């Protein structure tokens, strides 16, 4: 397995718990992966192909619901919130069928049109280490290793979960970054999540996590900088404070930047290395990696055979 973000670790867990010997090579520590920056709310977001993403997302939803009912150590909670600028009749039928509790917001809950939902909210600084511990308990190993090519992995089956790095390692030039910047502030008492889009198309979101209130965000295509931009951070806080004024007075704790590994469609399929070994690709999830991680992991395990 090459790649130690949420998709790679989840895939490794599924394989190890099915009796496979698994070794994960990861260039970055858990804290340095793109996954560590994620918000991370379960909701299908900019992901293709839709028919398969639906299956992967629903399977992942079921897993997160089970995890939320168990130990807090996994970092998964079910949290109420509002998805703004969305009408209930605009939500895909497969979502309303699976979650009949979805409803339109009242005027007191949100000023515009929106839907009220109770969804998994994942605390990634807790969830990623938990995945590594679960993998270790199943006999899997994680090693810090940088590779220049997938064929370097000395295993009969290699699984490519390298995200944005697949652009060079495959190589696959269709993988592109969509830059996301976040601001974490002291939570002034907000216990529900909110995603909103203004008239200019700029969006704001707030996710209450144990380490603070996560504010976002941006979606800058083909932007590679990992340095937080002060003007962007100020704009994020301003947009969020327009929705919840108490945010304007909250102390800033942290700035985060991540590059979502976007592709026209997720690549989850069998391939072969030049020497004939089996290669499974599982990358290109964009901003929906958390949303589809478990479903994609189980499909990757099926492809291994």
């Amino acid at each position: 397995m090459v790649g130690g973000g949420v998709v790679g670790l989840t895939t490794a867990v599924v394989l190890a718990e099915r009796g496979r010997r698994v070794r994960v090579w990861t260039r970055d520590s858990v804290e340095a992966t793109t996954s560590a920056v994620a918000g991370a709310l379960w909701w299908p977001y900019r992901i293709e192909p839709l028919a398969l993403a639906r299956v992967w997302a629903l399977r992942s939803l079921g897993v997160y619901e089970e995890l939320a009912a168990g130990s807090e150590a996994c970092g998964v909670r079910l949290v109420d919130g509002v998805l703004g600028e969305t009408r209930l009749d605009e939500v895909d039928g497969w979502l309303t069928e699976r979650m009949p509790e979805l409803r339109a917001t009242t005027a007191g809950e949100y000023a515009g049109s929106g839907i009220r939902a109770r969804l998994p909210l994942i605390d990634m600084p807790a969830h990623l280490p938990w995945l590594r511990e679960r993998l270790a308990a199943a006999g899997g190993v994680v090693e810090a290793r940088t590779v220049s090519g997938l064929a370097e992995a000395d295993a009969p089956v290699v699984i490519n979960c390298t995200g944005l790095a697949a652009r060079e390692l495959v190589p696959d030039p269709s993988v592109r970054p969509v830059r996301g910047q976040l601001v974490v502030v002291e939570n002034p008492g907000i216990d529900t999540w909110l995603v909103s889009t203004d008239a200019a198309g700029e969006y704001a979101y707030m996710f209450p996590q144990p380490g603070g209130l996560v504010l976002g965000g941006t979606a800058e295509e083909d932007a590679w900088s990992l340095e937080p931009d002060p003007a962007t951070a100020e704009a994020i806080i301003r947009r969020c404070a327009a929705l919840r004024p108490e945010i304007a007075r909250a102390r800033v704790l942290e700035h985060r930047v991540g590059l979502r590994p976007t592709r026209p469609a997720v690549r989850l399929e069998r391939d072969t290395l030049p020497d004939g070994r089996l290669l499974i690709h599982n990358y290109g999830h964009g901003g929906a990696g958390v949303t589809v991680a478990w479903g994609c992991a189980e499909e990757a395990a099926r492809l291994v055979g």
Side-chain angles (χ1 to χ4, degrees), residues 165-231:
R167 181 179 175 90
E168 305 298 333
L169 290 175
V170 173
D172 183 350
S174 72
V175 184
R176 300 162 50 215
V178 174
R179 183 180 182 275
Q181 181 167 330
L182 310 176
V183 182
V184 184
V185 300
E186 283 188 343
N187 193 334
I190 295 171
D191 59 5
T192 58
W193 57 267
L194 174 63
V195 178
S196 176
T197 308
D198 64 20
E202 298 285 347
Y203 70 101
Y205 58 75
M206 56 194 76
F207 300 141
Q209 296 284 18
L213 186 65
V214 178
L215 308 179
T218 64
E220 304 167 77
E221 296 186 2
D222 298 311
W224 288 87
S225 174
L226 288 169
E227 289 298 315
D229 177 64

Side-chain angles (χ1 to χ4, degrees), residues 95-110:
L95 282 166
T96 55
E97 181 179 344
R98 174 60 173 78
M99 296 181 288
E101 69 278 9
L102 292 178
R103 62 171 176 81
T105 53
T106 65
E109 290 173 329
Y110 191 67

Side-chain angles (χ1 to χ4, degrees), residues 268-287:
L268 180 45
E269 62 187 14
R270 293 168 66 105
D271 197 358
T272 55
L273 290 165
D275 60 7
R277 285 180 294 150
L278 178 60
L279 171 64
I280 306 293
H281 295 292
N282 186 8
Y283 68 90
H285 305 83

Side-chain angles (χ1 to χ4, degrees), residues 72-110:
E72 293 182 359
C74 68
V76 182
R77 298 169 293 137
L78 296 180
V79 181
D80 289 316
V82 170
L83 184 63
E85 288 63 57
T86 305
R87 298 204 323 251
L88 192 58
D89 59 8
E90 295 174 334
V91 178
D92 289 341
W94 62 275
L95 282 166
T96 55
E97 181 179 344
R98 174 60 173 78
M99 296 181 288
E101 69 278 9
L102 292 178
R103 62 171 176 81
T105 53
T106 65
E109 290 173 329
Y110 191 67

